[in-house]
Structures are given as structure tokens and as C-alpha cells.
């Protein structure tokens, strides 16, 4: 057979973000559905019959702070206020610990500013014994589940009461009692593990489900694809959350392939249902999680949810986003801020005011300040008390073998 | 379409040198090679516009264009696997793994693929790929920004493993690695990026630019793979070290008042057995130092080699000073790190034996 030789030289496409420092960001090209327009399918809908949901955007809160459309979860005022408080507490907590790192009290910190709804709304939907497999940016889950913020700070300071005994980098929390799986620094690994946990729950006839998180950038890791394969094949009771905050350190989401096809659409090839959701809309995230939860609890298997949001601050205390994206980009983000939007909703309902907001903020600042004081009294990374050095050799195995015993003696402790 | 070995490099006239820190030296190596060889390309996570989280690739995309230096998706298996494919085509990819701790998703591509293309195809394909990655502790990076996984690579037939300890070597070894026709993994001691480290975290870092004799040629040169360097000449005991620990070992010898000969291995695989043997036969004693965990660490290989080659010259048992057999604990950085105290004690023990 004669080969058809291509007469043109081949070339490669290398994606680049539309705007760089010094330029003005413009998000008018984003395909953002109006609030309320996306249909809400029955939870037993076949994935192939709801593919549009992978490309549209589920939104509930409109620009006037009204909750509209079929996805409105119809929450009572107390739940709305709890959501607002949890998000605000998370933000105040982040600000305090970011400053603490700058003051040299710890080595590192990571905020979730602008992404609070993505962790808090699901944590409020799920039962407290449903197991979450978070990344380093879902501290909101612990806060929503009532984990003491002093304990969180103890971890960040690696102090004498650090539940992780000084072993982990700051923000790498763990609490089985709060359905919060130990965080790994290695991206993506938790996604597959969550599917395994959910498979185990189903194998044992348990009623608990799992909820996994992964960043847009990390969807490129093999683990993401392994997780979708296994979740699809076995119909594992798991919610697979992709947090598309547009950035992975300095790489825009196009480097992970998010420009040509939304991350949610990855689900289609695995015959999994996908929801693409306004991640800065507390109500939309809440409703999407309810949908996925109901599906999982009904033995209908996994759902992929892409939370479309924006990383409003640097990647971590080690990062300077001004080096790779326009300075005002965060301000121009067309989906606003999750706290502002839920606040406006409560105001629209006549249940809240700017004064209430200020009073709550002041209360939370004071709460976090007091917690910080208490935590710091048990030490910070380079000053005061810390965990016993002896514990360094524990938990490598259940029991210490001769090597570790000998090494501990050699260290003279 | 594999092309034969790169053209031999012409000897250069008296080279112009400047002071560089280790990052600048590494950057300069890639800069030189991108400029000399159109088949060289640099890619990895955040290495393009941003220039890498440690700035190692800063300015390269701007200078050489998107096709020569670019960002990849966060997939170590993907970026190493594509590098293997490019190398098989005939390019010379030089890829960055952001931290050595994150190389594992790409391990299969290195161990089962890159390492064996030449062997399994009987020389039909080969893999001139370089992987650079910052390794080691001393920066409060916790267990996923501090590891020293070199032994996982020295154990693999078909891979060369390199660890520099100075800016001069970092540049010369990286150029040698890029020009090498086999896959090379270079672990860069991130604690040394800005300046040498004596093991005492309370001492301020003296920047490389202020270190006497730290002159790095601006142009092309190589430090050959497989050749060690005597970092400190001495007669009483041989210390085998690499990377960060070279500097800690030198400081330890001075503090302990032991006339140690510190051999900086530079290449771990293939290791310079001649330099090791010559030194140990001269001193009759050997202390091996590395930051990685002890069990099955590269020290075990070195100890076996020294025993095999120098048994009748040894006047004391070979000692290993290493990291403990635990993950790298965030708060106990300096209890974990094999510092001057432990190295000094080992030096004294072998002197008293
Ligand atoms: C396996 C692995 N590779 C690389 C890294 C380094 N790294 C840490 S965070 C990060 C970016 C992750 O971006 P994304 O998944 O979008 O999550 P985000 O930080 O935006 O929440 C990278 C590359 C890592 N931690 N693990
Ligand atoms: Mg991201």
C-alpha cells in the first residue's frame, strides 16, 4: 500500500495562558451559564443522558443574591448562616496562619482563599463519618466538622501538642474521627485511595461513602485516571471532586488540558456522570454534592464534580503569583467570592446585614486570636515546646525493630 | 532515527569564568546546551515561563522559545515517558522533576524503560535523557521535600546516577549528562543551591559567590561522569561522601581534628572505584556518609566495594553515618540530619580502633 506522505512539516501546540503579568486579564471568553438554567436530572439518570452537565455550569445564586432554578437546595436560614460562618472562620484562620509563617513561627502555609465553599458545603452535606480524602487546600472540611482549630494550629506549629507529632509539613492534617484522611504531599494519590475506601465500604455492606479531592493540575497524574477507571468499573460509592482553581502553582489550567475540554468531561469516557459547578456558589456546591451523595448511597456509583473556582492568592507561602499572572486577575474573576455571595444571599433574604457581617467577622478574629495564643503557648516550630524527639522513631512500624532501637540509642535519647 | 553520539566537544581556550551559585550554574549548563545543540530541550512542571520553583530554568523559555523549554502537565510518569520517546527519536531531553520526592510516579518509565531501551533492543534504540531533581533535607521541607532516593536508582542497571556538590561540578556534570548517550539522573543538593553547608543550621550561609575559588566557566566544559574528586586531602581516614554531606564531612573533620581525606564521589553510578581504592589503601580507614536512610542505602554498596578492594589495608571496621530509618520528620530536621556531631564521633571511633 502506498503511504500517504504528509507534505507539511509537523508542529506542536504548546498552550499558553491568555494573559501574563503587566497585561489586563479578561474573562469574557469564559462560557458561564446563567444561574438557574442548568437542568437537574434525576439521580438515577444514565451518564450518557446527562452529558451537557459536564460542559455547562450549575449555578444557583444569581448576581442579585437570589437562589434560582432546579438546583436550589432550599436550605433553612440556620444552615445558610452556618455555612457563612464556617467559610469566614476558614478565611480568618488562613490569614492568621499565613502571618504566623511570615513571622517565622512555622516553615510553610497554604491558604484556600476564594475556594472555601468547595470544602465546606460538601462537608456540611455528608455525614461526619463519610471519609474525605482531601488535598492540602480543604482545611474547610475540618472546620465545618468542628475539629478544634487549636489542634489545627498545633499541627501547623509542629508544637508539643501537634497531633502529627511534628512529622508532617504544616497543613498536612489527619483525623479519622472527623472523616479526614491523612494528607499526602504527593499529588493525586488520595484519589485512587478514596475509591478503594469506598469499594471496601460497599464490600462490607457498610453505609458510608467517600469523597475525594484533586486539583485541576493534578488531574494529569495517573492516579486521577486510575480512580475514574476503578470507580466506573465497580460503581464505587465515591464523590470525585476536581477543584479547578485555574492554577497549579505557575501553570494555568490549559497545561493540564482544561482549555479544550472541561475537566468534568473526563468522566464521560468512563461512563461516570459529571457535574460542572460554580465553585464560588455555596448553594450550587451544596446541591451538587447532595445529588452525588444520593446517587452513591443508592448504589448507583460515583459522580465526578468539577468545581469551577479561582485560587485568589498565591499557591503557598513560597509562591509569588505576581511573577506569572496579572496582578488584578483575582479581582476580575467573574464568579466573585463565595463568602460575599452567600452573605448577599442572606441579606437578600432579609436575614442578615453588613453590621451582622462585621460583628461576626470581629467575633471570629477574636476566636482565632485566642486559639492562636493558646496554641503558641505550646510552642512554635523554632521556639518553645515541641514533641518529644523520641517519638521520631515511633510509628515507622507498629513495633520498633532492632534497627530503630539501635538508632534511637545512638541519638542518645 | 537515533543519531550517533554527540560530536566530541572542542577544547576551549582559557575560559572566561564568573562567580555563580549552584542554581545559576545549573541554569548556565542548560543555557549552553540549548544554544549548542538544537536537539536539546528542557521541560517539566513550572519550568517554562516561571523558570522553575527554584529558578533553575529562569530565562530559558524567553531565550530559546516555547519549543525548547516548556511547562508540562503534573504527571511525572507522563513527562518522563514522553522524554523517553523523544530520546528514542533522537532528541536530548533534559527534564526537571520538581522534587526528588515526586519522581516515583515516573519510576517505571525510568527503571523498566529508559534503563533498558538499549539492552532490550540490542542497541537499536537508546535513551539520551537527563533527569534533574533537587534532593535532600535541611530546608524544613518535611517528608515530601527532603528525601534522598539515590539508592533506588544506583540499584538499577542501565541508569547513571550523579550528585554534584559545587556549582562548578553541577554545571560540568550536567553538561556531561546531557551529552551522554545513556539516561542520567542528577540529584541536586537543594541545601547547597545558595552556598555550602557545614551541617550547623545556626551558621549563616556564605553565598557561593563569596567562596574563594568558586569560579565557573561561562561557556561549555564537562566534568566527566564516573570520576570522583578529592574534596579535602588527608591521611588518617577516608570519608566517602556526595552532595550536601561533602561539606558537612569536611567541617566535621576539622572540628574533630582528624586528618580525613574527603572523597566527593560526584558520580554514584558508575562509581569511581579507583579513587576510592587509592584513598582507602592510603589511609587504612573508611567512613561513609550519606543523608539517606541507612538500610540498603548507597553506603551499603560503598562498604561492600571497600571491603572487597581494600580488606587487607583496613585498620578499623568501615563506619556508616546516615539518616535514620524513618521518614524525614519536619520538626526534627537536625536530629535526623547526620551532622558534625555524629560524623565526628565516627571519625574518632575509627581512629581509636
Ligand atoms: C507527585 C507530585 N508532583 C509535584 C508536586 C509539586 N506540587 C505541589 S502542589 C503543585 C500544584 C498542584 O496544582 P493543583 O493540582 O491545581 O492544586 P492547587 O494547588 O491549585 O490546589 C505541584 C506541582 C507534588 N506535590 N507531588
Ligand atoms: Mg489548581
Amino acid at each position: 500500500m502506498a503511504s500517504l506522505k504528509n507534505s507539511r512539516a509537523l508542529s506542536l501546540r504548546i498552550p499558553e495562558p491568555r494573559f501574563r503579568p503587566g497585561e489586563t486579564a479578561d474573562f469574557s471568553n469564559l462560557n458561564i451559564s446563567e444561574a438557574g438554567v442548568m437542568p437537574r436530572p434525576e439521580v438515577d439518570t444514565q451518564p450518557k443522558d446527562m452529558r451537557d452537565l459536564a460542559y455547562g455550569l450549575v449555578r444557583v445564586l444569581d448576581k442579585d443574591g437570589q437562589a434560582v432554578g432546579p438546583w436550589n437546595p432550599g436550605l433553612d436560614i440556620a444552615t445558610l448562616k452556618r455555612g457563612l460562618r464556617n467559610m469566614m472562620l476558614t478565611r480568618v484562620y488562613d490569614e492568621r496562619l499565613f502571618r504566623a509563617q511570615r513571622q517565622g513561627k512555622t516553615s510553610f502555609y497554604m491558604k484556600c482563599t476564594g475556594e472555601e465553599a468547595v470544602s465546606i458545603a460538601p462537608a456540611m452535606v455528608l455525614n461526619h463519618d463519610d471519609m474525605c480524602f482531601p488535598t492540602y487546600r480543604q482545611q474547610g472540611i475540618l472546620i465545618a466538622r468542628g475539629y478544634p482549630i487549636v489542634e489545627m494550629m498545633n499541627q501547623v506549629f509542629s508544637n508539643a501538642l501537634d497531633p502529627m507529632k511534628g512529622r508532617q509539613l504544616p497543613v498536612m492534617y489527619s483525623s479519622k474521627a472527623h472523616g479526614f484522611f491523612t494528607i499526602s504531599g504527593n499529588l493525586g494519590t488520595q484519589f485512587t485511595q478514596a475509591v478503594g475506601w469506598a469499594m471496601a465500604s460497599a464490600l462490607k455492606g457498610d453505609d458510608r461513602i467517600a469523597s475525594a479531592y484533586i486539583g485541576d493540575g493534578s488531574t494529569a497524574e495517573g492516579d486521577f485516571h486510575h480512580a475514574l477507571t476503578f470507580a466506573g468499573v465497580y460503581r464505587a460509592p465515591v464523590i470525585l471532586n476536581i477543584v479547578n482553581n485555574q492554577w497549579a502553582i505557575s501553570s494555568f489550567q490549559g497545561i493540564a488540558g482544561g482549555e479544550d475540554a472541561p475537566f468534568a468531561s473526563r468522566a464521560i469516557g468512563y461512563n461516570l456522570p459529571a457535574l460542572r459547578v460554580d465553585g464560588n456558589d455555596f448553594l450550587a456546591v451544596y446541591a451538587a454534592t447532595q445529588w452525588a451523595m444520593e446517587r452513591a448511597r443508592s448504589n448507583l456509583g460515583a459522580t465526578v464534580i468539577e468545581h469551577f473556582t479561582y485560587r485568589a492568592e498565591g499557591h503557598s507561602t513560597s509562591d509569588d503569583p505576581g511573577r506569572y499572572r496579572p496582578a488584578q486577575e483575582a479581582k476580575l474573576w467573574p464568579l466573585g467570592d463565595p463568602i460575599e455571595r452567600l452573605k448577599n444571599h442572606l441579606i437578600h433574604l432579609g436575614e442578615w446585614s453588613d453590621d451582622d457581617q462585621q460583628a461576626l467577622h470581629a467575633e471570629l478574629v477574636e476566636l482565632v486570636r485566642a486559639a492562636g495564643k493558646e496554641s503558641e503557648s505550646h510552642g512554635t516550630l523554632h521556639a518553645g515546646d515541641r514533641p518529644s524527639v523520641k517519638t521520631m522513631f515511633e510509628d515507622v512500624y507498629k513495633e520498633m525493630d532492632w534497627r530503630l532501637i539501635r538508632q534511637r540509642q545512638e541519638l542518645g535519647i | 532515527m537515533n543519531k550517533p553520539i554527540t560530536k566530541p566537544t572542542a577544547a576551549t581556550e582559557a575560559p572566561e569564568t564568573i562567580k555563580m551559585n549552584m542554581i545559576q550554574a545549573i541554569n548556565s549548563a542548560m543555557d549552553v546546551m540549548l544554544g549548542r545543540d538544537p536537539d536539546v530541550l528542557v521541560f517539566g512542571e513550572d519550568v517554562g515561563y516561571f523558570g522553575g520553583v527554584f529558578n533553575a530554568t529562569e530565562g530559558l523559555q524567553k531565550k530559546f522559545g516555547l519549543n525548547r523549554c516548556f511547562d508540562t502537565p503534573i504527571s511525572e510518569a507522563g513527562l518522563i515517558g514522553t522524554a523517553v520517546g523523544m530520546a528514542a527519536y533522537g532528541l536530548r531531553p533534559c527534564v526537571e522533576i520538581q522534587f526528588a520526592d515526586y519522581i516515583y510516579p515516573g519510576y517505571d518509565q525510568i527503571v523498566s524503560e529508559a534503563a533498558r531501551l538499549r539492552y532490550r533492543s540490542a542497541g537499536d534504540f537508546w535513551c539520551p535523557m537527563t533527569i534533574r531533581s533537587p534532593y535532600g533535607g535541611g530546608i524544613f521541607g518535611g517528608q515530601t521535600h527532603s528525601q534522598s532516593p539515590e539508592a533506588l536508582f544506583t540499584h538499577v542497571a542501565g541508569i547513571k546516577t550523579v550528585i554534584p556538590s559545587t556549582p562548578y561540578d553541577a554545571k560540568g556534570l550536567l553538561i556531561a549528562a546531557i551529552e551522554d548517550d545513556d539516561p542520567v539522573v542528577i540529584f541536586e543538593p537543594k541545601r547547597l543551591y545558595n552556598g555550602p553547608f557545614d551541617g550547623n543550621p545556626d551558621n549563616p550561609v556564605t553565598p557561593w559567590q563569596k567562596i574563594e575559588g568558586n569560579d565557573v566557566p561561562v561557556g561549555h566544559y564537562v566534568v566527566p561522569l564516573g570520576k570522583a574528586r578529592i574534596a579535602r586531602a588527608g591521611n588518617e581516614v577516608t570519608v566517602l561522601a556526595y552532595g550536601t554531606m561533602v561539606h558537612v564531612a569536611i567541617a566535621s573533620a576539622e572540628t574533630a581534628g582528624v586528618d580525613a581525606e574527603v572523597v566527593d564521589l560526584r558520580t554514584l553510578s558508575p562509581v569511581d572505584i579507583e579513587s576510592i581504592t587509592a584513598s582507602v589503601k592510603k589511609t587504612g580507614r573508611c567512613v561513609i556518609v550519606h543523608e539517606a536512610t541507612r538500610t540498603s542505602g548507597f553506603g551499603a554498596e560503598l562498604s561492600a566495594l571497600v571491603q572487597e578492594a581494600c580488606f587487607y589495608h583496613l585498620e578499623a571496621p568501615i563506619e556508616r553515618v546516615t539518616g535514620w530509618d524513618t521518614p524525614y520528620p519536619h520538626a526534627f530536621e537536625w536530629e535526623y540530619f547526620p551532622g558534625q556531631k555524629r560524623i565526628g564521633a565516627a571519625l574518632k571511633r575509627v581512629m581509636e580502633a
Side-chain angles (χ1 to χ4, degrees), chain B residues 57-345:
Chain B
T57 55
E58 192 165 353
L60 298 181
Q61 183 178 79
K62 195 162 186 203
K63 182 163 172 187
F64 296 99
L66 277 177
N67 277 336
R68 306 289 306 285
C69 176
F70 54 87
D71 290 331
T72 66
I74 303 173
S75 168
E76 293 74 17
L79 80 92
I80 294 172
T82 51
V84 172
M86 291 182 195
Y89 178 92
L91 302 185
R92 291 188 178 273
C94 173
V95 302
E96 174 176 300
I97 297 295
Q98 204 163 81
F99 285 87
D101 316 63
Y102 302 139
I103 202 167
Y104 309 119
Y107 195 57
D108 191 39
Q109 284 287 351
I110 301 172
V111 170
S112 314
E113 305 302 318
R116 299 190 204 151
L117 286 195
R118 184 187 293 283
Y119 191 81
R120 77 182 192 212
S121 70
D124 199 15
F125 289 95
W126 61 93
C127 188
M129 164 183 78
T130 302
I131 300 176
R132 331 173 3 254
S133 191
Y135 89 100
I139 60 150
F140 279 95
Q143 42 196 279
T144 56
H145 302 90
S146 307
Q147 294 167 44
S148 299
E150 65 274 9
L152 297 175
F153 297 88
T154 58
H155 190 56
V156 177
I159 295 286
K160 297 182 182 176
T161 308
V162 171
I163 300 186
S165 73
T166 65
Y168 180 89
D169 283 357
K171 178 171 174 182
L173 288 165
L174 180 52
I175 291 177
I178 294 172
E179 292 183 345
D180 199 275
D181 282 334
D182 286 311
V184 182
V185 177
I186 299 200
F187 289 117
E188 301 164 0
K190 66 175 98 71
R191 176 70 218 208
L192 302 184
Y193 274 161
N194 296 321
F197 177 55
D198 68 3
N200 184 344
D202 298 327
N203 290 343
V205 174
T206 308
W208 282 113
Q209 287 89 339
K210 298 218 169 110
I211 299 288
E212 192 68 35
N214 172 42
D215 302 296
V216 180
V218 290
H220 177 277
Y221 67 97
V222 292
V223 172
L225 304 184
K227 290 268 175 277
R229 150 185 99 95
I230 304 300
R232 181 191 191 278
N235 290 303
E236 292 182 325
V237 44
T238 297
V239 178
L240 302 180
Y242 47 88
T244 309
M245 299 316 293
V246 170
H247 302 272
V248 184
I250 293 170
S252 304
E254 322 241 292
T255 312
V258 174
D259 185 24
E261 178 146 293
V262 178
V263 180
D264 175 359
L265 298 178
R266 302 202 287 199
T267 300
L268 279 61
S269 177
V271 77
D272 183 354
I273 188 68
E274 281 172 24
S275 297
I276 294 173
T277 311
S279 180
V280 176
K281 283 188 175 168
K282 178 175 82 174
T283 63
R285 293 178 166 85
C286 182
V287 171
I288 297 160
V289 184
H290 60 63
E291 204 183 322
T293 45
R294 184 179 189 85
T295 299
S296 302
F298 192 61
E301 175 67 20
L302 290 173
S303 177
L305 287 174
V306 169
Q307 187 275 140
E308 285 161 9
C310 311
F311 181 77
Y312 295 106
H313 294 81
L314 287 174
E315 289 166 42
I318 302 163
E319 287 253 3
R320 282 183 288 163
V321 184
T322 69
W324 310 120
D325 283 327
T326 74
Y328 216 118
H330 177 246
F332 305 124
E333 186 98 346
W334 305 119
E335 285 82 2
Y336 182 91
F337 189 88
Q340 285 196 29
K341 200 166 141 210
R342 287 173 58 209
I343 299 172

Side-chain angles (χ1 to χ4, degrees), chain A residues 215-217 243 245-248:
Chain A
D216 48 280
V243 182
N245 62 5
Q246 314 300 321
W247 291 94

Side-chain angles (χ1 to χ4, degrees), chain A residues 143-154:
Chain A
I143 288 183
R145 287 184 167 174
Y147 186 82
I149 58 171
V150 177
E151 295 266 302
M152 292 173 74
M153 291 175 170
N154 292 340

Side-chain angles (χ1 to χ4, degrees), chain A residues 7-85:
Chain A
S7 55
R8 251 181 307 175
L10 300 168
S11 68
L12 214 58
R13 182 270 301 258
I14 297 178
E16 281 193 285
R18 293 170 63 233
F19 307 101
R20 285 298 191 186
E23 297 171 335
T24 306
D26 174 3
F27 290 112
S28 58
N29 72 318
L30 287 184
N31 175 19
I32 296 174
S33 332
E34 285 297 315
V37 301
M38 292 308 291
R40 184 182 190 277
E42 294 301 318
V43 291
D44 60 357
T45 304
Q46 289 294 322
K48 67 175 171 38
D49 297 329
M50 53 174 287
R51 288 184 183 162
D52 287 353
L53 274 293
Y55 295 90
L57 201 61
V58 171
R59 305 181 63 209
V60 174
L61 288 171
D62 70 10
K63 52 185 183 315
D64 305 320
Q66 268 195 98
V68 295
W71 285 95
N72 180 4
L75 301 183
D76 59 39
I77 301 300
T79 306
L80 293 174
K81 287 187 178 170
R82 252 188 318 122
L84 182 66
R85 183 189 168 90

Side-chain angles (χ1 to χ4, degrees), chain A residues 256-272:
Chain A
E259 251 188 336
D260 301 331
F263 294 102
S265 70
R266 307 284 187 273
I268 290 170
Y270 300 94
N271 196 39
L272 291 169

